[in-house]
Amino acid sequence: MLSIRNLSVFYGDAQALDNVSLDVPAGSITAIVGANGAGKTTLIRTIAGMLSAASGEISYKERIITGLPGHQVCDLGIGQVAEGRQVFPTLTVEENLAMGAMLPRARASRKRNLERVYTMFPRLSERRRQNAGTMSGGEQQMLAIGRCLMGEPELIMFDEPSLGLSPALVSDMLATIGSLSQSGLTCILVEQNVAQSLKLSAYAYVLENGRIVLSGSGAAVLGDDRVRQAYLGL
Amino acid sequence: MSLTLSASVIVQGVLTGLVYGLMALGLSVIFGIVRVVNFAHGEFAVLAMYIAYLLFFWLKLDPFLAALPIAALFFGVGYLLQRALINSFVARAEHDQFILMVGLAIVLVNGCLMIFGPEARHAELSYSLDSWLAGPLIIDAVRVYAAIGSLVVALMLLAFFRLTDTGTAIRACADNRLAAAIVGLDTRRLYALTFGLGLACVGAAGAMQTAIIDPNPSLAPGMTLLAFTVVIVGGLGSLIGALFAGILIGVAEALSSLVMAPSMKSLASFAVLVLVLVLRPQGLFGKGG
Amino acid sequence: MHPTLHRLLGQLDRRQRLAFLGLVGALILGPAFLDRYLMSIMILVFWYAAVGQAWNIMMGFCGQLSLGHCLYSGIGGYVAALLWVNYGIPPWLAAVPAMGIACACGIVIGWLAFRYDIGGVYFALLTIAFAEMARIAFDNWAGGGGAAGLFIPLIPAADAGLWTLSGGPLQFYYLMLGLAITSFVAAAALRASRLGHEWLAIREEPEAARALGIDIYRAKLAAIIVSAAITSLAGVFYAFYQRNLFPSDAFDVSRSIIMIMGPIVGGLGTLMGPVIGALILTPLGQILIALTERLVGHAVPGASLLAYGALLMVIISTNANGVWPGLSRRLGLAPRALR
């Protein structure tokens, strides 16, 4: 579904991504694992069109999207749930959700999608008139996911969705992602909970200092000695 | 100084202040959302005044009616200006933006000077000197019209931000720029719209002011400063705050020109500014510290 | 000052030292080759280089945007002129209270703003507000000449001299050159000092500076005091050069804006930036005036300024960090200390 070939990205003089190639097959979860500063968020933002690539190519559904501006990338059906949730704090929950449906692809079915999101997260429905900034971290994460779904994405990129959540909420969150994937959505999952996210994922890539150093099925990567040592402390 | 005289002056101050408020609203919208300091704001106001004067001179178009086409024109100018020039400065340092806008201000005000000369131009309306007696108070008709016009435009803008999707999207950009990019809002287009709306406000305010003040290039820097003062007193990003601060400054100026001398009226607005910056730096209606 | 100067020159490599001394030497020999008109332009260049340097200390080093620097030059000029006109106190002596009062104004502004961490555009507006209040006050104060202005009478040629700042263009040429060099050296020395490092830390990372134990309030206050002192001294010289003062001119926002455009166009935070900026912008304005008169046949009010504004927009659009950083690289003077 998404395919990246030889992607390099720079921040000023510093190279953040170095010749990265990866494939995200449709309908499953692909995990990207790596330490802080390995380039995971850079990768997601480059795919989303928020950063520009120095070289390399990103193609989505057989179409090259490198260099497209962010709002056009979103309109192709590539959604994002960013690190730190990134809600609009002074907008109400419902206004936040409406902002997810501003894309041309999603405008017509906005009402139906809103119902769907409220069914999925009844808590958001209860708080629809509340300002997003006054909600708890878990509720804001629901809002971020709901807002992303309002854009009718076919691929969702999750960047550290469980960051700052309690262990119980982390399991809920990963379960939600699992069920979204089961409903046919393609997911990219960047997570700190390496073990849990690899178990959930069909494929996985390990990113170190901007390079892919290991890839394979989720189970294979989870079984790799280097991964067990570096990320699981085993 | 009699009580009725000061009451009249206060009413005049409120009316003038609403026009200030509209002008400041334009600045506040640009400043709060695009995060670019429009140091050419007063220059745009003067440009609008001259255009209103020309429309009156050639077509006998009343400045209060001319406010509409001028606002539309300024909206287009602002939209294009943001797209073509200012957008590349959004991520630049504050002082670079400052130089760019000062350059623009110098171009605008000297363009007016070259075309119209340094003398003030006067648009003689049939009702220029009309005034009403409300009880013991004397109120200038033109100021009432300008205040009502400003209030209507300001309320339309507020409604746009509250009630439309595009307005909400612009607020969203101001709220969290990163999130706006993440959900796929076309921030460049929204910024251009915002700049257009900001200039439309100042265009409308300038056009209506032509009925009260004679356009003159040397008015421009003072108007920029005034708009800034109002925005900061009201609180950055607060549109209601800009309107109320406009009224407050209008009254303060009117009272001080009564008590001291007309030439000292801006002393009052600066005194209010200093007080607000010291006691409540985020502005009267600003959020948090 | 001598050991400091020695140390500063020691930081330069040979090429930079030659270029620097060559420039100073050329400027010292300048009057032998310049006519009266060009001299008057160079006097303004030196003046703007000096006040630009002073402003650069606050903004370029410490990151505090002042848009009201005409307050200090205006106060300096007015205090010295009033003391001379009313009491016969010569400007070199009067410069002391003039600088003192200007610094006191700076302290008041700094005290109001920096206690509450008022920065950026808010601080800028506060500085404009004080300059405007001074303008209105002097406009309405008859004792200071009011709006009609304050004039410094000419002195009989026999008594004219450096002590009373009443000489001809040659005297002011060297006086302003000395002022520009002094402010340059002062800025260089300050930047190399402990205080200078604190300023840079505050400009770059205020939170980290606080964590390092830097007294931010005190350091910012020091920046505003130094800047006000240099600017007000320049104001004294300028007042005696012009021999008249008008509130609408001395305290005008546009005066502040012209002061700060040099360092920004030249290269903010660099030592050569204010010098290069003044060398570009001051003649540019004069050339544009001459050019429009030549082209149109008579003076067109606004035409030269319009072109000036447009050029300013072009310069800032094409030079992200000002002219000097790129220029110095091209000249092979890529900086260590002269930057």
Side-chain angles (χ1 to χ4, degrees):
Chain A
M1 184 153 197
L2 183 83
S3 152
I4 296 174
R5 288 290 164 266
N6 310 106
L7 185 70
S8 292
V9 178
F10 288 84
Y11 271 125
D13 290 333
Q15 186 158 17
L17 289 181
D18 183 3
N19 213 22
V20 166
S21 296
L22 59 80
D23 288 285
V24 177
S28 59
I29 300 178
T30 302
I32 295 167
V33 177
N36 279 337
K40 294 169 296 182
T41 299
T42 305
L43 179 63
I44 285 187
R45 292 200 179 155
T46 311
I47 297 170
M50 294 160 67
L51 294 172
S52 50
S55 62
E57 210 171 82
I58 305 170
S59 57
Y60 171 72
K61 294 210 272 188
E62 317 296 315
R63 183 183 161 186
I64 294 168
I65 59 166
T66 336
L68 278 188
H71 61 100
Q72 285 180 23
V73 173
C74 279
D75 198 40
L76 292 172
I78 301 182
Q80 190 186 159
V81 176
E83 185 179 348
R85 301 177 272 277
Q86 306 298 345
V87 297
F88 299 113
T90 71
L91 267 56
T92 64
V93 167
E94 191 142 313
E95 284 173 335
N96 264 274
L97 291 173
M99 289 302 100
M102 289 292 278
L103 302 168
R105 66 183 274 119
R107 241 173 242 166
S109 42
R110 172 163 150 186
K111 248 195 185 117
R112 201 190 63 217
N113 286 331
L114 192 65
E115 288 312 311
R116 235 181 62 193
V117 168
Y118 281 151
T119 317
M120 192 168 168
F121 301 113
R123 182 64 70 83
L124 295 182
S125 175
E126 291 161 22
R127 317 216 148 182
R128 60 175 80 189
R129 304 258 165 260
Q130 190 175 332
N131 278 359
T134 62
M135 298 201 303
S136 74
E139 290 164 343
Q140 289 190 13
Q141 190 61 273
M142 287 177 203
L143 179 58
I145 294 176
R147 191 181 61 186
C148 182
L149 291 173
M150 291 295 291
E152 297 200 332
E154 293 164 58
L155 165 69
I156 303 186
M157 306 185 282
F158 291 92
D159 193 355
E160 308 275 11
S162 69
L163 197 71
L165 299 185
S166 70
L169 283 175
V170 170
S171 300
D172 284 356
M173 185 55 52
L174 292 173
T176 305
I177 293 170
S179 66
L180 283 173
S181 160
Q182 240 133 54
S183 72
L185 277 171
T186 310
C187 300
I188 295 177
L189 177 58
V190 167
E191 253 299 339
Q192 289 193 322
N193 292 299
V194 173
Q196 287 185 51
S197 63
L198 286 181
K199 273 180 206 150
L200 203 62
S201 304
Y203 305 92
Y205 291 84
V206 179
L207 204 55
E208 260 175 28
N209 296 321
R211 291 167 201 233
I212 302 280
V213 293
L214 185 69
S215 63
S217 72
V221 170
L222 188 58
D224 190 279
D225 283 343
R226 285 170 294 173
V227 171
R228 293 169 71 83
Q229 269 179 11
Y231 301 105
L232 304 174
L234 298 174
Chain B
M1 178 180 50
S2 71
L3 202 63
T4 47
L5 180 59
S6 25
S8 288
V9 165
I10 289 174
V11 171
Q12 302 275 34
V14 170
L15 298 175
T16 314
L18 278 165
V19 186
Y20 290 172
L22 179 60
M23 208 164 71
L25 207 55
L27 186 71
S28 183
V29 162
I30 296 171
F31 192 12
I33 292 159
V34 190
R35 299 264 158 202
V36 165
V37 178
N38 182 16
F39 274 99
H41 207 68
E43 282 72 9
F44 276 112
V46 167
L47 186 64
M49 291 173 79
Y50 272 117
I51 296 174
Y53 164 78
L54 280 184
L55 291 176
F56 177 77
F57 188 73
W58 285 335
L59 307 173
K60 291 286 165 246
L61 186 63
D62 188 292
F64 290 105
L65 293 176
L68 277 176
I70 290 174
L73 173 74
F74 271 45
F75 174 80
V77 168
Y79 187 93
L80 293 177
L81 200 62
Q82 171 69 23
R83 275 247 126 139
L85 186 66
I86 299 167
N87 198 60
S88 59
F89 277 75
V90 165
R92 296 264 299 264
E94 220 166 50
H95 55 264
D96 284 349
Q97 299 171 354
F98 168 75
I99 292 283
L100 180 77
M101 300 316 288
V102 166
L104 183 62
I106 294 175
V107 168
L108 286 176
V109 80
N110 287 288
C112 288
L113 183 66
M114 277 176 74
I115 298 169
F116 299 101
E119 311 82 22
R121 300 296 180 112
H122 180 60
E124 182 65 49
L125 303 172
S126 57
Y127 52 88
S128 273
L129 299 173
D130 286 6
S131 57
W132 296 318
L133 287 173
L137 305 180
I138 305 167
I139 302 165
D140 297 344
V142 283
R143 285 182 202 271
V144 174
Y145 299 145
I148 292 172
S150 299
L151 201 58
V152 167
V153 176
L155 290 178
M156 275 165 53
L157 191 74
L158 289 177
F160 168 78
F161 279 124
R162 281 288 143 198
L163 304 178
T164 69
D165 279 343
T166 310
T168 310
I170 290 176
R171 279 193 292 135
C173 279
D175 219 11
N176 187 340
R177 222 185 248 210
L178 176 63
I182 284 166
V183 299
L185 294 178
D186 186 353
T187 48
R188 286 172 52 133
R189 184 178 144 266
L190 292 171
Y191 283 172
L193 285 176
T194 306
F195 211 96
L197 287 172
L199 285 199
C201 285
V202 78
M208 292 190 283
Q209 276 207 317
T210 314
I212 303 172
I213 311 171
D214 295 339
N216 170 2
S218 66
L219 291 173
M223 285 189 165
T224 301
L225 268 182
L226 181 74
F228 258 90
T229 306
V230 171
V231 167
I232 294 204
V233 166
L236 182 58
S238 166
L239 303 184
I240 301 279
L243 277 186
F244 273 93
I247 293 174
L248 180 67
I249 299 277
V251 171
E253 282 197 3
L255 278 179
S256 68
S257 54
L258 180 71
V259 177
M260 297 185 289
S263 66
M264 295 177 82
K265 68 175 186 179
S266 43
L267 209 56
S269 55
F270 290 124
V272 173
L273 172 74
V274 171
L275 270 181
V276 165
L277 278 179
V278 169
L279 299 176
R280 201 176 150 79
Q282 72 271 33
L284 297 177
F285 289 76
K287 290 173 219 78
Chain C
M1 193 53 106
H2 193 69
T4 324
L5 203 58
H6 191 76
R7 192 163 56 84
L8 288 171
L9 280 174
Q11 289 174 357
L12 307 178
D13 64 30
R14 233 187 105 218
R15 214 184 142 95
Q16 289 171 331
R17 202 177 316 173
L18 272 175
F20 183 64
L21 293 176
L23 178 65
V24 173
L27 291 175
I28 289 174
L29 295 177
F33 307 100
L34 300 174
D35 64 13
R36 224 185 147 83
Y37 173 66
L38 290 176
M39 289 263 285
S40 71
I41 292 178
M42 288 313 288
I43 289 171
L44 285 181
V45 169
F46 297 148
W47 193 78
Y48 280 112
V51 294
Q53 200 68 260
W55 180 81
N56 196 33
I57 288 173
M58 248 184 95
M59 174 65 194
F61 295 178
C62 194
Q64 304 305 308
L65 176 60
S66 162
L67 296 182
H69 252 53
C70 66
L71 173 67
Y72 311 122
S73 64
I75 293 273
Y78 261 103
V79 171
L82 283 170
L83 287 176
W84 168 246
V85 171
N86 291 337
Y87 305 104
I89 299 172
W92 290 100
L93 286 182
V96 177
M99 289 164 76
I101 293 173
C103 288
C105 293
I107 291 171
V108 169
I109 293 173
W111 177 72
L112 284 175
F114 300 148
R115 268 182 319 157
Y116 298 112
D117 259 340
I118 292 175
V121 182
Y122 294 86
F123 176 67
L125 194 66
L126 189 71
T127 60
I128 298 182
F130 270 87
E132 279 290 294
M133 289 194 282
R135 182 181 65 76
I136 296 165
F138 275 94
D139 245 342
N140 289 280
W141 179 41
L150 179 66
F151 296 86
I152 303 173
L154 284 169
I155 291 181
D159 306 328
L162 188 61
W163 180 240
T164 52
L165 290 184
S166 52
L170 195 65
Q171 179 199 307
F172 276 99
Y173 181 94
Y174 286 115
L175 192 66
M176 296 294 194
L177 177 60
L179 181 71
I181 293 175
T182 308
S183 60
F184 182 94
V185 171
L190 280 166
R191 208 172 95 140
S193 74
R194 192 189 148 79
L195 186 59
H197 293 303
E198 292 186 359
W199 287 339
L200 293 185
I202 292 169
R203 182 191 76 185
E204 292 300 324
E205 298 278 350
E207 282 315 309
R210 197 185 307 275
L212 283 172
I214 294 174
D215 187 342
I216 294 187
Y217 174 59
R218 209 198 52 139
K220 284 181 180 172
L221 218 49
I224 207 171
I225 290 171
V226 170
S227 193
I230 298 176
T231 311
S232 58
L233 181 62
V236 175
F237 291 175
Y238 193 77
F240 280 80
Y241 174 58
Q242 296 286 340
R243 305 202 83 76
N244 57 53
L245 285 150
F246 299 94
S248 58
D249 177 46
F251 294 107
D252 193 43
V253 189
S254 67
R255 169 71 59 85
S256 301
I257 288 173
I258 296 171
M259 278 189 205
I260 78 172
M261 282 194 306
I264 296 178
V265 166
L268 192 70
T270 68
L271 288 172
M272 279 304 281
V275 180
I276 298 290
L279 275 169
I280 294 173
L281 292 180
T282 311
L284 183 69
Q286 301 295 327
I287 290 168
L288 286 171
I289 291 174
L291 204 63
T292 47
E293 279 187 36
R294 175 74 52 91
L295 288 177
V296 190
H298 57 89
V300 184
S304 61
L305 271 173
L306 187 138
Y308 186 83
L311 276 172
L312 208 58
M313 290 166 75
V314 171
I315 295 177
I316 205 69
S317 296
T318 49
N319 289 274
N321 299 311
V323 174
W324 176 245
L327 184 67
S328 63
R329 230 170 292 128
R330 219 161 294 155
L331 293 177
L333 297 171
R336 261 180 335 164
L338 240 192
R339 217 157 63 79

